[in-house]
């Protein structure tokens, strides 16, 4: 156990671990030492002087955010001299501040405003003319208003240390010091908005949130980001049934305050004008709207007729729908339609993964393990692009715990910057690359291995064999795409017992009905020209938009997105989290409701289709899912335990879509903000790097 020291703050004796910073020791005992530049998890700056305190036997006031506690220390945080110093600091910070709180986005949740109310002077002595600098737009996401900046450097550290990007710095010296972006007048970066969120004042504001609302006018709904399988928790700010912002400032869930651009801003697809809001029937001239009653009746009649004559069904589930929806769909397919032909777009070899690890316990790494392990090995994946939270976790681990990061990848990745060892491997040569690290890895205390779709089948088994041979505890993460790939797999949206795989379904010529939920196979290049092989199949598509696939459907049913429903999802590490409905889009229904209504119309008894009821059933029947409900109810993540069990090898291709920070399958096409930023593949703007390549 760490050594404790005893000190006194404001006459109250407290104990803290030796080496703890005074500001933290005070907080742990419920005593506030005000601060601006101090921010837990980032390097110390000692820039603002807001945390000055009086320490007995020291001649001057001390900076509480850099001072470690010591035995017998006597501290006063509320003495007259301390109060006077705080007042002086705030007065200094306000000298050139525009005091435009009534029009500032930060009003109501501004730390400077709060501090001035609590510790500041009632009036200003400053009567001189203030220096005005025009507001600058650094990207569609980031705006900067220099006079509001208090130079706390939080944004610089969040970008440099937290994101590993380093796009912000300080320009000029002395009183004209200012935060500057990495490309003269604009940013080229991850566009994650972490700098905006961490800014204690309204100096950095967000392109999507600014001038929209006041914080107290929003409802704050805690749910899970729908864009990738990392499963970041986000609090959506909702006003008048419109999502206005996303952040995780309450640090609930697995991601601390982290969100990438998709989680923080790309909820705007929800209100895209092309959202489907009515069921549609295909006609000779396109699709015509019909009522829900008509649509459900047509689907039920067709499905019943195909079933009655023993015709073949194909069911393609979604990697974005909830566990409850996937479970109900699998049950519908097997019990309701009598088909084994059900699958989803598989992006990681989970069957091989569970098979290879089937007789062990404690080998599935959680998101938190990536932050605490002594070593992390990334194989065949660009984490910063494809799994931004896992990348953030590995970076934070290296910073906070000096853990060792290893990368075996085909090209440069962000991990290169701080990795202990990097191996560039040709595609397919990842395992050989890993082997070259054997001695280094075997010397670690424990290890998390994170691998992408290059590792599947025999290669995956060999990787696990390699892990075993190291003689240290090893845990694994098998990377998959989208928000609920893992859940789709666990809930049985897979072709067991001779059912056809997704690719086999698309190539089969004798399907009589094809039911596709939240997937767009015809958007994939290989099928763009040929379409479905079963030319006469009755096709039903449930989706948010009229995708290439939906355009071929006989019936299109408008579905609700993950931000519009309740239920649970399982992230890439197998952690279950709860979705909470934030908004409703008129005319849509959740996929679960659609399944339930079709079942009812067909006269099937598949049980109640309320998310809570279905989850009860999942807990009883799906291995590893009997998780404690209070953890989920309080916004936590419950790991599926111990393992999901051995799964026989499945037919069908396994391939990640290799989404980037700025793409998210179909959803990203409909997110204005993702398409606007310069880094987006479809952006109209050219990045400096590209311009350089072209001209130079
Ligand atoms: S948006 Fe993110 S990556 Fe860009 S400057 Fe801000 S913190 Fe850095
Ligand atoms: S922009 Fe905000 S976070 Fe950055 S230094 Fe200024 S006040 Fe601090
Ligand atoms: S890392 Fe993934 S889950 Fe987290 S905010 Fe980004 S897209 Fe969403
Ligand atoms: S919080 Fe201590 S100097 Fe800023």
């Amino acid at each position: 156990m760490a050594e404790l020291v005893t000190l006194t703050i404001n006459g109250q004796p407290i104990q803290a671990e030796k080496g703890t910073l005074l500001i933290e020791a005070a907080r742990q005992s419920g005593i506030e030492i005000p601060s601006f530049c101090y921010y837990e998890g980032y390097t110390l700056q000692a820039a603002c002087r807001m945390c000055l305190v009086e320490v007995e036997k020291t001649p001057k006031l001390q900076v509480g955010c850099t001072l470690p506690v010591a035995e017998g220390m006597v501290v006063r945080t509320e003495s007259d001299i301390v109060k006077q110093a705080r007042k002086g600091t705030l007065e200094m910070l306000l000298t050139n501040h525009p005091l435009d709180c009534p029009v500032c986005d930060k009003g109501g949740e501004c730390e400077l405003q709060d501090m001035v109310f609590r510790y500041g002077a009632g009036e200003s002595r400053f009567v001189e003319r203030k220096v005005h600098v025009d507001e600058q737009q650094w990207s569609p996401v980031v705006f900067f208003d220099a006079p509001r900046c208090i130079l706390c450097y939080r944004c610089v550290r969040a970008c440099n240390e937290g994101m590993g990007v380093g796009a912000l710095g300080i320009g000029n010296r002395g009183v004209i010091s200012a935060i500057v972006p990495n490309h003269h007048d604009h940013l080229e970066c991850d566009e994650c908005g972490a700098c905006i969120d961490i800014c204690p004042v309204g100096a950095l504001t967000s392109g999507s949130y600014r001038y929209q609302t006041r914080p107290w006018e929003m409802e704050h709904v805690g749910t899970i980001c729908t864009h990738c399988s990392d499963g970041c928790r986000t609090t959506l700010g909702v006003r008048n049934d419109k999502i206005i912002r996303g952040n995780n400032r309450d640090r609930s869930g697995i991601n601390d305050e982290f969100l990438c651009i998709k989680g923080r801003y790309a909820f705007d697809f929800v209100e895209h004008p092309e959202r489907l809001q009515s069921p549609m029937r295909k006609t000779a001239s396109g699709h015509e709207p019909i009522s829900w009653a008509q649509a459900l009746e047509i689907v039920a009649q067709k499905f019943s007729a195909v079933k009655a004559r023993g015709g073949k069904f194909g069911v393609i589930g979604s990697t974005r729908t909830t566990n409850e929806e996937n479970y109900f769909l699998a049950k519908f397919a097997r019990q309701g339609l009598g088909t084994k032909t059900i699958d989803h777009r598989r992006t990681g070899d989970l069957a091989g993964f569970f098979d290879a690890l089937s007789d062990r316990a404690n080998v599935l790494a959680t998101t938190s393990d990536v932050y605490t392990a002594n070593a992390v090995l990334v194989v065949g994946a660009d984490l910063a692009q494809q799994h931004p939270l896992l990348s953030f976790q590995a970076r934070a681990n290296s910073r906070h715990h000096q853990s060792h990061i290893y990368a075996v990848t085909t090209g440069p990745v962000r991990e290169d910057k701080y990795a202990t060892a990097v191996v560039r491997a040709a595609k397919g040569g990842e395992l050989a690359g890993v082997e070259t690290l054997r001695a280094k890895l075997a010397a670690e205390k424990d290890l998390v291995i994170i691998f992408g779709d290059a590792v599947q089948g025999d290669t995956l088994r060999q990787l696990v064999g390699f892990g075993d041979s190291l003689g240290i505890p090893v845990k694994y993460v098998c990377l998959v795409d989208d928000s609920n790939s893992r859940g789709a797999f666990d809930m049985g949206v897979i072709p067991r017992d001779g059912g056809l795989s997704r690719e086999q379904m698309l190539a089969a010529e004798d399907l009589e009905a094809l039911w596709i939920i939240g997937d767009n196979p015809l958007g994939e290049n290989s099928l763009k020209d040929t379409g479905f092989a079963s030319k006469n199949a009755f096709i039903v598509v449930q989706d948010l938009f009229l995708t290439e696939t939906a355009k071929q459907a006989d019936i299109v049913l408008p579905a609700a997105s993950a931000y519009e429903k309740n239920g649970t999802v399982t992230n890439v590490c197998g952690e279950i989290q709860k979705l909470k409905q934030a908004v409703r889009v008129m005319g849509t229904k959740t996929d679960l409701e659609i399944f339930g209504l079709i079942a009812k119309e067909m006269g099937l008894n598949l049980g109640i289709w309320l998310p809570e009821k279905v989850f009860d059933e999942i807990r009883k029947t799906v291995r590893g899912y009997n998780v404690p409900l209070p953890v989920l109810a309080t916004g936590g993540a419950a790991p599926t335990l111990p393992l999901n069990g051995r799964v026989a090898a499945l037919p069908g291709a396994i391939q990640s879509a290799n989404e980037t920070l700025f793409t998210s399958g179909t959803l990203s096409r409909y997110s204005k903000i993702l398409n606007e930023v310069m880094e987006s593949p479809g952006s109209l703007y050219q990045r400096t790097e590209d311009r350089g390549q072209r001209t130079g």
Side-chain angles (χ1 to χ4, degrees):
M1 201 179 140
E3 191 186 332
L4 294 178
V5 295
T6 304
L7 64 154
T8 311
I9 305 182
N10 301 340
Q12 179 185 331
I14 65 163
Q15 283 200 314
E17 273 183 24
K18 194 174 174 186
T20 308
L21 296 171
L22 179 59
I23 194 168
E24 280 299 334
R27 281 178 189 178
Q28 285 159 16
S29 304
I31 299 166
E32 193 206 7
I33 297 179
S35 62
F36 285 119
C37 69
Y38 175 75
Y39 207 86
E40 193 193 342
Y42 293 126
T43 48
L44 303 180
Q45 198 74 42
C48 70
R49 305 286 141 168
M50 194 60 204
C51 63
L52 291 176
V53 292
E54 203 181 345
V55 179
E56 251 182 40
K57 297 186 186 146
T58 53
K60 291 198 291 190
L61 294 181
Q62 298 293 305
V63 179
C65 69
T66 54
L67 185 69
V69 291
E71 183 64 41
M73 199 180 229
V74 177
V75 182
R76 279 184 284 277
T77 70
E78 296 299 332
S79 59
D80 286 347
I81 185 170
V82 171
K83 285 182 184 165
Q84 193 53 40
R86 281 178 197 155
K87 224 173 243 178
T89 299
L90 288 166
E91 191 173 19
M92 275 297 291
L93 289 176
L94 293 180
T95 45
N96 199 51
H97 191 89
L99 298 175
D100 56 349
C101 308
V103 293
C104 174
D105 274 311
K106 203 75 176 185
E109 51 187 10
C110 172
E111 293 177 38
L112 181 60
Q113 206 176 41
D114 290 348
M115 294 285 190
V116 172
F117 271 123
R118 203 174 312 165
Y119 304 110
E123 54 197 41
S124 170
R125 291 181 291 168
F126 192 84
V127 291
E128 287 75 11
R129 201 185 177 97
K130 299 201 178 190
V131 180
H132 174 75
V133 181
D134 284 343
E135 188 181 45
Q136 300 159 35
Q137 180 175 7
W138 287 345
S139 83
V141 169
V142 187
F143 285 69
F144 180 59
D145 192 331
R148 288 183 189 155
C149 174
I150 60 168
L151 283 172
C152 68
Y153 309 103
R154 281 192 197 174
C155 54
V156 177
R157 286 172 286 159
C159 188
N160 195 18
E161 300 167 22
M163 298 307 300
V165 174
L168 296 171
I170 310 290
N172 299 330
R173 308 286 295 263
V175 287
I176 55 162
S177 295
I179 302 297
V180 289
N182 59 354
H183 284 271
H184 176 56
D185 61 351
H186 71 277
L187 276 169
E188 292 181 26
C189 65
D190 280 9
E191 308 282 2
C192 67
C195 49
I196 301 168
D197 221 39
I198 205 171
C199 180
V201 297
L204 288 166
T205 52
S206 127
S208 72
Y209 174 73
R210 59 209 308 271
Y211 305 133
Q212 298 268 338
T213 183
R214 285 297 186 195
W216 60 85
E217 291 168 331
M218 293 185 289
E219 194 189 335
H220 302 278
V221 184
T223 188
I224 307 300
C225 169
T226 181
H227 284 283
C228 92
S229 61
D230 288 3
C232 293
R233 195 170 156 79
T234 172
T235 301
L236 300 175
V238 180
R239 187 177 170 194
N240 298 336
D241 224 12
K242 180 177 155 82
I243 305 173
I244 299 182
R245 75 173 182 191
N247 64 44
N248 202 44
R249 278 188 210 162
D250 65 3
R251 299 182 173 214
S252 57
I254 53 177
N255 45 308
D256 198 67
E257 288 183 291
F258 175 83
L259 287 177
C260 75
I261 177 173
K262 293 189 273 191
R264 210 182 293 275
Y265 300 113
F267 43 72
D268 53 347
F269 68 85
V270 165
E271 53 167 29
H272 192 283
E274 289 173 32
R275 262 306 281 277
L276 295 173
Q277 291 188 285
S278 163
M280 290 194 292
R281 167 169 57 193
K282 194 171 168 189
T283 65
S285 57
H287 281 89
E288 66 170 21
I290 53 173
S291 70
W292 270 105
Q294 284 172 303
L296 294 168
E297 193 185 333
I298 297 170
V299 174
Q301 275 179 4
K302 288 278 189 183
F303 281 2
S304 299
V306 173
K307 184 180 170 188
R309 60 174 180 265
K312 285 190 183 167
F313 283 95
V315 180
I316 299 179
S318 173
T319 49
R320 294 188 193 277
T321 48
T322 63
N323 286 326
E324 293 73 7
E325 289 168 334
N326 287 324
Y327 180 87
F328 202 90
L329 179 69
K331 192 164 152 186
F332 199 136
R334 294 198 171 90
Q335 294 175 24
L337 303 178
T339 183
K340 294 169 185 163
T341 292
I342 173 167
D343 199 2
H344 66 282
R345 191 173 66 85
R346 279 177 274 138
T347 55
D349 187 7
L350 288 172
F353 183 53
F354 293 136
D355 184 48
L357 297 177
S358 60
D359 48 0
R360 306 139 198 251
N362 213 17
V363 282
L364 296 186
T366 60
T367 307
S368 147
D369 287 331
V370 181
Y371 174 64
T372 53
N374 282 284
V376 176
L377 166 65
V378 183
V379 187
D382 185 348
L383 283 192
Q385 286 293 321
Q386 295 155 4
H387 292 273
L389 171 61
L390 295 183
S391 171
F392 176 82
Q393 291 290 86
R395 253 189 326 273
N397 193 3
S398 147
R399 243 175 39 245
H400 294 159
H401 311 130
Q402 291 74 50
S403 68
H404 294 159
I405 311 294
Y406 300 88
V408 178
T409 58
T410 51
V413 291
R414 189 167 300 167
E415 284 67 40
D416 293 355
K417 282 193 210 165
Y418 58 95
T420 302
V422 175
V423 179
R424 286 287 100 84
K427 214 166 173 44
E430 286 86 356
L431 212 58
V434 169
E435 193 60 52
T436 64
L437 296 173
R438 176 178 284 282
K440 286 196 174 77
L441 296 174
E444 298 289 354
K445 278 206 214 92
D446 58 53
L447 175 67
V448 168
I449 303 182
I450 303 175
F451 59 90
D453 68 348
V455 180
Q456 50 177 278
D458 284 344
T459 314
L460 199 163
R461 272 175 210 98
Q462 286 163 23
L463 182 68
V464 171
F466 172 84
D468 287 345
S469 71
L470 293 176
I472 55 168
V474 182
K475 292 184 181 180
Y476 300 86
V477 181
C478 173
L479 296 176
V480 285
D481 293 358
D482 299 344
S483 56
N484 203 22
S485 282
R486 180 63 188 270
F489 186 91
D490 290 349
M491 296 303 124
V493 184
I494 45 175
R496 290 200 198 104
D497 313 320
L500 301 185
S501 72
R502 178 177 178 269
E503 292 68 33
Q504 288 168 332
M505 277 185 244
L506 299 171
E509 293 178 356
D510 58 348
L511 295 183
E512 293 192 30
L514 188 54
W515 189 9
I516 301 176
I517 295 96
D519 190 5
N520 182 23
L522 295 194
E524 291 162 21
N525 281 334
S526 54
L527 283 166
K528 264 191 180 132
D529 298 328
T530 56
F532 298 112
S534 292
K535 298 293 173 204
N536 297 320
F538 169 69
I539 299 170
V540 181
V541 169
Q542 294 176 204
D543 214 317
L544 275 63
F545 297 99
L546 198 62
T547 60
E548 288 88 343
T549 303
K551 279 186 188 142
Q552 301 301 318
D554 295 283
I555 298 289
V556 181
L557 302 171
S561 78
Y563 294 138
E564 298 148 42
K565 56 175 79 157
N566 295 315
T568 61
V569 285
T570 309
N571 77 355
V572 65
C573 294
E575 293 157 304
I576 308 165
Q577 299 180 92
K578 222 170 170 183
L579 293 179
K580 188 164 177 211
Q581 183 187 0
V583 289
R584 182 167 278 281
V585 172
M586 206 192 292
T588 64
K589 291 188 190 299
T590 67
D591 293 286
L592 186 57
E593 201 179 351
I594 300 173
F595 301 151
L597 291 172
I598 297 174
K600 186 174 165 215
E601 197 71 27
M602 288 177 71
L604 303 170
N605 182 11
L606 298 174
I608 301 173
W609 60 82
L610 289 173
E612 303 75 36
K613 295 282 174 209
V614 181
F615 193 62
D616 279 348
E617 200 175 319
I618 292 172
R619 289 179 72 228
K620 286 185 197 126
T621 55
V622 180
R623 206 169 152 206
Y625 274 71
N626 190 13
V627 294
L629 292 180
V631 174
L632 298 184
T634 50
T640 48
L641 289 169
L643 256 187
N644 298 59
R646 170 162 265 143
V647 178
L650 300 171
I654 292 158
Q655 196 175 4
S656 162
N658 293 328
E659 300 294 357
T660 73
L661 262 180
F662 306 99
T663 65
S664 173
T666 312
L667 292 186
S668 58
R669 283 199 238 164
Y670 298 95
S671 165
K672 189 163 169 264
I673 205 112
L674 279 186
N675 289 302
E676 269 178 4
V677 293
M678 180 178 271
E679 297 78 4
S680 155
S683 171
L684 296 173
Y685 304 100
Q686 274 184 2
R687 300 177 65 184
T688 307
E689 198 179 300
D690 300 337
R691 283 199 292 265
Q693 275 165 9
R694 245 156 251 162
T695 54

